[in-house]
Amino acid sequence: MSDERHKRPKRPTGESFEDPTETLAGDEIASGLVSKRQQAYLIVVSGGRVGEMVRVDERLVIGRAIDVDFRVDDAGVSKRHVEICKTDTGMEVRDLGSRNGTFLNGERLERQQLRDGDKIYFGSTTILKFSLADELDESFQKHMFDAALRDGLTSLFNRRYLEDQLEVEVSYALRHVIPLSLVMIDVDHFKDVNDTYGHPVGDRVLRAIADCLRGAIRREDLATRYGGEEFALVCRATPAEVATMVADRIRSTLARGPLLPDIPELHLTVSAGVAALPGHELRSADELVAAADAALYRAKDAGRDCVRCHGVDDKG
C-alpha cells in the first residue's frame, strides 16, 4: 500500500488534475488574439456622441444635414462640412468648402493625408480622432460605448443618452424649423405582472416591448428605456399627428398580444403621451419632456390603454 502511494504523481502547484492547462502553440495564440487587418475609424472625443466609433470605408461625409453619413449638430458645422475618403496611399481628410473651416492637429486644411492618431477639429466643440484599429479595438470601443449609453436589460439607449441627444435634436429642430416629436410610453399595471408571474417574466415583457418599439420606428428615430417600465421615442422630422399615429399603432399591437407566446394568458396595455415641436411654446428639451409626460398622465387619467397629445383637447 505504501509502495503504491509513492508511485502516484504529485499534484503540480496551482493546478488540479480535473482542470489541466491546455498547451497552445504560438501561432494559435497569435491567430486567436490578434487581428492583422487594420481598419480606419473616427472616434468622437469632443462634442455630441462622445465615445462613439465610426467606421470609414471608401468615403464618409460629415456635417449637419440629415442626409450625410455622420451627422453632427454643432452650430459652427456646415451642412456638408468635411469628408474622409480612401486614396491610393491611405485615407485623406478634405474640407468641403465649409464656412468655418476644418483643422488637423490645430492647422487649417483643404485636404490632407491622415495618420493614425490625428485629431480633426471643426465647428465649436467637435473633435474627431482618426484611428487605424483592428477588430479587437473596434469590439472593445463599441462595448465601452454601449455599456455607458445602453440599457443592460433591453439594449435600448438609456435615459442619459436620451437627455444628451434630445438637447441636440431640439436645438436642430428649432434652428431649422423642422418638426420633432417625443413619445413617452408607460406599461399599465406593470406591478401586477411582476406580482403574478415573477420578475424574470417581467424582464422578458420589457425586452419584448423594446423589440416592438424597434420594429415600429424608422432607422433615424431613437428608442430608449426611460426608466422602470417607461420608454421614450424621439421621432425626427415628424409632426405631432404622425407621432400620435405611431404611438397608437404600438399601443394596439401590444394590446392584441400575446406578448409572450408561452404565456398566452398574459395580456397588457400601455399608455402614451406625445409632444412635438414646433408649437405650443415649447422651446427646450426639458419643456418637451415635461409636455410629453403631462400628456402621458392625461392618458392614464383617461382610463389607460390610450394616447394623448400635448396641446390637443382630450376628447376621450
Side-chain angles (χ1 to χ4, degrees):
M1 190 75 170
S2 59
D3 291 339
E4 291 181 2
R5 252 198 327 266
H6 289 305
K7 292 179 182 178
R8 291 175 185 169
K10 293 182 179 180
R11 176 174 296 183
T13 304
E15 293 187 9
S16 69
F17 291 120
E18 292 78 13
D19 186 23
T21 301
E22 182 180 355
T23 302
L24 298 175
D27 56 350
E28 289 181 295
I29 298 174
S31 63
L33 297 180
V34 178
S35 169
K36 296 180 180 179
R37 184 176 65 85
Q38 293 288 295
Q39 171 67 47
Y41 295 92
L42 294 174
I43 301 173
V44 183
V45 297
S46 177
R49 303 163 74 169
V50 169
E52 187 165 353
M53 193 172 189
V54 186
R55 179 173 174 150
V56 184
D57 291 313
E58 296 296 323
R59 183 170 182 258
L60 186 83
V61 177
I62 305 166
R64 281 193 293 108
I66 293 177
D67 61 345
V68 298
D69 301 312
F70 186 69
R71 185 156 76 91
V72 176
D73 192 75
D74 181 326
V77 173
S78 298
K79 290 183 178 179
R80 300 175 70 83
H81 193 108
V82 65
E83 70 173 357
I84 313 296
C85 55
K86 188 175 183 179
T87 68
D88 292 338
T89 56
M91 303 300 294
E92 187 175 83
V93 55
R94 300 171 182 172
D95 185 82
L96 298 177
S98 65
R99 173 173 296 183
N100 296 310
T102 303
F103 299 79
L104 183 66
N105 302 323
E107 295 187 8
R108 190 162 185 157
L109 64 86
E110 290 186 5
R111 57 192 300 169
Q112 185 72 41
Q113 195 80 9
L114 285 167
R115 297 173 300 178
D116 189 23
D118 279 345
K119 291 186 175 64
I120 305 166
Y121 300 73
F122 54 98
S124 57
T125 62
T126 303
I127 304 174
L128 306 178
K129 179 183 176 181
F130 178 74
S131 176
L132 292 173
D134 60 32
E135 292 173 334
L136 290 176
D137 293 326
E138 179 187 12
S139 177
F140 175 75
Q141 186 72 25
K142 186 177 186 303
H143 175 77
M144 295 299 291
F145 182 73
D146 286 350
L149 300 178
R150 287 192 183 273
D151 171 58
L153 177 65
T154 64
S155 295
L156 296 178
F157 285 108
N158 59 24
R159 180 170 177 169
R160 172 191 164 190
Y161 184 82
L162 171 69
E163 291 172 345
D164 290 344
Q165 191 63 25
L166 199 56
E167 294 282 351
V168 173
E169 298 292 343
V170 168
S171 174
Y172 187 89
L174 291 175
R175 184 164 60 249
H176 297 280
V177 197
I178 295 173
L180 177 72
S181 291
L182 176 66
V183 181
M184 302 292 285
I185 300 171
D186 187 79
V187 183
D188 298 327
H189 304 298
F190 183 69
K191 184 177 181 298
D192 292 347
V193 175
N194 283 332
D195 290 346
T196 303
Y197 299 96
H199 288 277
V201 171
D203 288 346
R204 290 178 59 201
V205 165
L206 294 177
R207 285 194 290 268
I209 292 173
D211 289 340
C212 177
L213 298 184
R214 273 188 286 263
I217 62 174
R218 304 164 301 174
R219 183 177 179 180
E220 62 265 33
D221 297 331
L222 179 67
T224 69
R225 185 183 180 193
Y226 196 69
E229 64 270 22
E230 194 168 0
F231 299 84
L233 305 177
V234 179
C235 302
R236 294 170 173 160
T238 303
E241 57 270 22
V242 176
T244 301
M245 292 171 59
V246 171
D248 196 60
R249 186 165 64 244
I250 293 169
R251 179 204 62 77
S252 61
T253 298
L254 293 173
R256 283 197 302 270
L259 198 59
L260 302 179
D262 58 322
I263 312 179
E265 70 277 11
L266 194 166
H267 287 273
L268 57 79
T269 60
V270 299
S271 301
V274 179
L277 301 173
H280 308 297
E281 306 303 321
L282 301 178
R283 302 296 300 175
S284 71
D286 288 344
E287 290 176 359
L288 187 65
V289 171
D293 208 39
L296 172 60
Y297 277 101
R298 282 177 53 205
K300 293 286 189 182
D301 290 342
R304 298 180 170 85
D305 190 21
C306 62
V307 180
R308 293 293 180 265
C309 182
H310 174 72
V312 178
D313 291 336
D314 185 358
K315 297 180 180 179

